[in-house]
Amino acid sequence: MNISVMNSKDNWNIFSKNRNAIYGVAIISIMIFHFFEDIANSNLSGGGLGFLGKLYNTFIGSVGVEFFVFLSGVGLYFSMSKDSNILHFFQKRIKRILPAYLMVAIPYWIVIDLIIMQKGVKMFAFDFGFVTFFTQGTRTFWYVLFIVFAYLIYPFVYKILHVKWSDWGKLLILLIIALVIQFLPRIVAPVLNLNIEILLGRFLVFFIGCWCGKKVYQNACINNIDKMGILFGVMIMLCGFLPVTKIVVSKLGFRILMCFWGIFLLYCIAVSMRKMPKRIVKILEQFGKMSYELYLTHVAIRALMNVIGIKTFYFQNYVFCILISFVFDIHNCKITKKADLG
């Protein structure tokens, strides 16, 4: 991505104009990441494919999750501004996340815990209810739990965004809260932190997305200070390669690096949508419309295949994994759409 994409006439609404298409980019990038992650964890991590994976994981990695989380923060501001009734807010959120999770997680944990592993009903309940996420670091559906926490805390965040402080003062408060969430468990509960850092580390980009959501809603222009903030991600990424500053970046942690680098990449993608062929944008939008359901189906199928010995670090197996995910996802989307209409 080239920094020259920045334009003096950029408006914050670039993050909402092609939101579904960006979601499409996010889910595609995550599925690619999972393949390279599988290769990195296998005995096939050498050679050209291994090198390509290292390159991808360095500059892209799981940044698609950052895209999802940032845009969720933006979208929640729109939702709360249109209807500030908290009960209605939570009802809409439950309809959005629960049906898809139930359709994927229940059969998945039945197969894993009750049929294959034969661990019993108690372990099924613990896995399904995310208890083992905290106790054992079981991360299969961690994103669902993060979204639940994000929804629960959002009304509080929305209030912060409307206190009589400067915009930068509000952002500072949100950044402090996010960093406390991320770093405090490292100090007081390091073992627990190892299990749940994948969730804690995403509140930073979520809160920034919430803060930006107000600007998107107001159709505000992206001023020079805003652009400096967006370019901050480039600076951190470059510092990660310099011997003098590499230690500092490593101390801050990978999640902080990918938060700000991800925001920069997200901006570049949003700007690029202007010149992208409409046919490609339409295809990406189709991916984006089913991105949440596809994500759940994909991680479940991928995990199940590896448990039964069909290793997804083999390219043909991973292609099969994606195809099966699409088949199940089309079915799940139809059901969740009916739930939304109901």
Side-chain angles (χ1 to χ4, degrees), residues 265-277:
L265 292 180
L266 180 61
Y267 172 85
C268 293
I269 291 169
V271 171
S272 300
M273 290 289 174
R274 297 169 181 162
K275 297 182 179 181
M276 195 174 291

Side-chain angles (χ1 to χ4, degrees), residues 20-21 24 28 277-288:
N20 279 332
I28 291 170
K278 290 184 178 180
R279 183 174 296 180
I280 294 177
V281 173
K282 291 292 183 182
I283 293 172
L284 291 173
E285 285 176 350
Q286 292 305 311
F287 277 90

Side-chain angles (χ1 to χ4, degrees), residues 145-273:
L145 185 61
F146 170 81
I147 288 297
V148 170
F149 285 141
Y151 289 166
L152 289 173
I153 201 174
Y154 186 77
F156 169 72
V157 175
Y158 189 79
K159 286 185 177 181
I160 291 179
L161 294 173
H162 287 85
V163 296
K164 295 180 180 180
W165 301 336
S166 69
D167 283 344
W168 294 105
K170 298 170 190 175
L171 178 61
L172 180 61
I173 293 298
L174 291 174
L175 292 179
I176 291 172
I177 294 173
L179 293 175
V180 169
I181 291 172
Q182 186 167 348
F183 286 106
L184 187 61
R186 289 191 192 182
I187 301 169
V188 300
V191 175
L192 174 64
N193 181 71
L194 289 174
N195 292 339
I196 65 174
E197 62 82 25
I198 192 173
L199 181 150
L200 300 178
R202 263 52 189 247
F203 278 102
L204 181 61
V205 70
F206 174 68
F207 286 161
I208 295 175
C210 295
W211 182 81
C212 293
K214 186 176 181 180
K215 290 180 174 289
V216 176
Y217 187 77
Q218 294 172 340
N219 284 319
C221 290
I222 301 178
N223 59 42
N224 290 332
I225 297 177
D226 296 334
K227 290 176 182 178
M228 288 175 61
I230 293 170
L231 288 172
F232 182 64
V234 180
M235 186 189 76
I236 295 183
M237 178 59 77
L238 291 175
C239 287
F241 292 96
L242 299 174
V244 179
T245 53
K246 188 175 183 178
I247 297 175
V248 177
V249 174
S250 65
K251 289 291 184 182
L252 287 174
F254 177 74
R255 301 296 178 201
I256 290 180
L257 167 63
M258 295 312 290
C259 165
F260 292 104
W261 175 244
I263 291 172
F264 170 71
L265 292 180
L266 180 61
Y267 172 85
C268 293
I269 291 169
V271 171
S272 300
M273 290 289 174

Side-chain angles (χ1 to χ4, degrees), residues 53-227:
K54 288 178 182 178
L55 198 64
Y56 186 90
N57 291 340
T58 298
F59 293 102
I60 306 297
S62 60
V63 77
V65 176
E66 272 65 33
F67 294 174
F68 275 129
V69 172
F70 179 93
L71 292 177
S72 292
V74 171
L76 290 178
Y77 188 88
F78 278 72
S79 181
M80 185 68 81
S81 296
K82 291 176 181 177
D83 184 358
S84 59
N85 185 297
I86 295 180
L87 181 60
H88 293 170
F89 174 81
F90 287 130
Q91 285 175 339
K92 291 177 182 177
R93 306 284 79 76
I94 290 172
K95 284 184 178 181
R96 177 70 188 99
I97 64 171
L98 192 58
Y101 177 65
L102 293 176
M103 284 190 296
V104 175
I106 290 177
Y108 173 79
W109 288 122
I110 286 175
V111 172
I112 295 295
D113 287 334
L114 302 183
I115 299 175
I116 297 177
M117 300 298 184
Q118 297 185 350
K119 293 182 178 179
V121 176
K122 183 178 180 181
M123 183 55 69
F124 166 82
F126 282 4
D127 281 333
F128 176 75
F130 297 103
V131 175
T132 52
F133 172 70
F134 295 95
T135 59
Q136 300 175 22
T138 302
R139 296 180 171 185
T140 312
F141 300 110
W142 73 270
Y143 182 74
V144 177
L145 185 61
F146 170 81
I147 288 297
V148 170
F149 285 141
Y151 289 166
L152 289 173
I153 201 174
Y154 186 77
F156 169 72
V157 175
Y158 189 79
K159 286 185 177 181
I160 291 179
L161 294 173
H162 287 85
V163 296
K164 295 180 180 180
W165 301 336
S166 69
D167 283 344
W168 294 105
K170 298 170 190 175
L171 178 61
L172 180 61
I173 293 298
L174 291 174
L175 292 179
I176 291 172
I177 294 173
L179 293 175
V180 169
I181 291 172
Q182 186 167 348
F183 286 106
L184 187 61
R186 289 191 192 182
I187 301 169
V188 300
V191 175
L192 174 64
N193 181 71
L194 289 174
N195 292 339
I196 65 174
E197 62 82 25
I198 192 173
L199 181 150
L200 300 178
R202 263 52 189 247
F203 278 102
L204 181 61
V205 70
F206 174 68
F207 286 161
I208 295 175
C210 295
W211 182 81
C212 293
K214 186 176 181 180
K215 290 180 174 289
V216 176
Y217 187 77
Q218 294 172 340
N219 284 319
C221 290
I222 301 178
N223 59 42
N224 290 332
I225 297 177
D226 296 334
K227 290 176 182 178

